[in-house]
Amino acid sequence: MSSPSVPSNEIPIPQASATSTAGGEGSATGAIDLVRHGRLPLQLLLAINQVRGLFDGHSFWAQGRSRRALVRMLLGSCSVVSAWEGGRLVGIGRATSDGVFRAVLWDVVVAEEHQGRGLGRRIVQALLASPPVAGSERVYLMTTNSSGFYERLGFSGEHGQQLLVLYRQRNQETSG
C-alpha cells in the first residue's frame, strides 16, 4: 500500500530516516513513513478522525478530545510529526516552542502494535530536529509512566523543579 500523499506544505522526512522495513525496528506488517508537518498540517486535518482514534485507543490522557479541539491543538502546534503505515495513522507527536529558549513535547502516541520497535524514538528525534525545537535552549516534556523511554533519548528529571497545574473545568469544545 502506498503512503499518503503529502501536501506541499508538509515535508516528508528524508528517506534515510523515513521508512522502517519489516524486521528489525520496523513494522512486521509493512513500511512506516514519518511526515514532518508544516504550520498547516493538512494531511492530519483531513484525517482528524484517525487522530482522534489514535488518541482514544492508545493513550489514557488524551481520550475523549473533540474533533474541534484536536483541530485547534494541531493548528496551535509549531511542529507535528506523524507516522503512517500506508494510509493508516499509527503514531504522532507534537511540540510548541518560542524557537529560542523553551520548547515542550506533547502527545507522543504510538499504536500499541507498533510499540517497542523504535517508532516512538523516531518521532521524538524528528520533533527534536524540527527548526522551532532544535533552536531552543531547553526542551521539556511531562510523562506519567514513560520516563525510562525519554531518559534513553537524553532527557533527565529536574529535581529542583515542581510541576504545577491549574485545572480548569472541561467545556463542550474540548470534550465529546
Side-chain angles (χ1 to χ4, degrees), residues 11-171:
I11 306 140
I13 296 173
Q15 196 63 22
S17 64
T19 304
S20 292
T21 56
E25 69 178 57
S27 165
T29 58
I32 305 294
D33 294 317
L34 293 187
V35 178
R36 185 181 301 135
H37 301 271
R39 289 295 268 170
L40 184 60
L42 292 176
Q43 182 177 2
L44 288 171
L45 295 174
L46 293 171
I48 200 67
N49 287 333
Q50 286 195 59
V51 174
R52 188 176 189 188
L54 186 67
F55 283 165
D56 285 348
H58 303 282
S59 72
F60 63 89
W61 70 93
Q63 294 176 350
R65 293 177 176 175
S66 72
R67 290 176 41 155
R68 184 175 183 190
L70 290 170
V71 167
R72 289 185 59 204
M73 174 199 78
L74 290 170
L75 292 175
S77 300
C78 67
S79 184
V80 180
V81 173
S82 60
W84 298 84
E85 183 177 46
R88 181 173 164 251
L89 180 66
V90 296
I92 194 169
R94 65 186 190 92
T96 54
S97 177
D98 60 20
V100 180
F101 298 108
R102 302 293 183 262
V104 182
L105 301 189
W106 303 101
D107 298 322
V108 177
V109 179
V110 173
E112 288 177 27
E113 66 271 18
H114 292 281
Q115 292 177 8
R117 298 179 174 148
L119 184 55
R121 174 184 50 79
R122 291 176 51 222
I123 291 171
V124 170
Q125 288 173 334
L127 287 168
L128 293 173
S130 68
V133 178
S136 297
E137 181 180 272
R138 290 189 186 180
V139 180
Y140 295 93
L141 65 84
M142 291 168 273
T143 184
T144 302
N145 54 18
S146 298
S147 60
F149 167 76
Y150 291 107
E151 287 169 353
R152 288 189 297 275
L153 294 172
F155 287 85
S156 61
E158 284 294 320
H159 300 289
Q161 296 183 343
Q162 291 183 331
L163 172 64
L164 304 175
V165 179
L166 173 63
Y167 290 98
R168 295 186 172 174
Q169 186 175 356
R170 291 179 74 177
N171 58 37

